[in-house]
Amino acid sequence: MKRAGRAEWTKLRTDASNGWLTLGVFALTVAVGAAVAMTSRCDATGCGADPTRLSLTGVMVGQVVVAIVAVLMAGNEYGTGMMLTTLTAVPRRLTVLCSKSAVLTAVTLVTGTISVLASLLIGRLVQPGRGFTREHGFRALSLADEPTLRAAVGSVLYLVLIGLLGLGVALAVRHSATAIGIVLALLFVFPILAQLVADPDWQRHLQQISPLTAGLAVQTTVGVDDLPIGPWQGLGVVALWAVGALAVGGRLLCARDA
């Protein structure tokens, strides 16, 4: 397992595109979060805005790049035929699955943590000048505040789970473009359907099973009781999607030839 993990790390870091994509996760997450923080306003008490979630808006964009990195981690090997070499060097296919998952998790944890902390720091510096003040009922963003800490930790875990979801899908379909399309559909089709459905009960159910809507509920710090699903329960939904994708991908990895 140790040697397999080292091999996966070597493959990941020696591919220049992965470095640029990882940098893109940070750049997009921080840039979008900063843009939203700098353009949002709260001009009176009870404006209903959620400063923490506004600062972390970039996670919604960064997750797309995380999913791409995860898909390419397996999809590129199938596309180039390198998967045969990988499975020859490491015949135990579950070891291959675990090593890829571990390396992807570690890289996403580091990148996600830096991105989330930078986004919150920018929000802390910018938002008081945009009306998010004590006079309007807001404290400066701080990880000492339990809801903000939960939003930060949950956002990082969400990115990790999206990465694992992408890896599982890529192992199942063995084609990068197809896998990316499937992951993006899983993320964005459910929220669109929820907007098109008129029945409020069905809207709520679609939001509860949507990886995007349910998972990002963990970022909410204002009006938590109005959410279609609780913050940690929503993150659990994403975990189920990720585990399911890895289970299917791992099963097919073991059952099929490279």
Side-chain angles (χ1 to χ4, degrees), residues 188-253:
F188 296 107
V189 167
F190 283 109
I192 294 173
L193 288 177
Q195 295 299 318
L196 296 176
V197 173
D199 189 303
D201 290 332
W202 275 104
Q203 284 184 349
R204 187 177 185 86
H205 291 324
L206 287 170
Q207 291 170 343
Q208 288 171 335
I209 64 174
S210 164
L212 177 68
T213 307
L216 291 183
V218 78
Q219 294 181 341
T220 303
T221 62
V222 175
V224 175
D225 292 338
D226 297 328
L227 292 172
I229 191 170
W232 291 118
Q233 291 90 333
L235 203 63
V237 169
V238 188
L240 289 175
W241 279 103
V243 170
L246 287 174
V248 173
R251 180 71 183 87
L252 293 175
L253 176 67

Side-chain angles (χ1 to χ4, degrees), residues 122-133:
I122 292 172
R124 178 184 175 89
L125 296 175
V126 169
Q127 286 178 339
R130 306 296 299 173
F132 294 92
T133 59

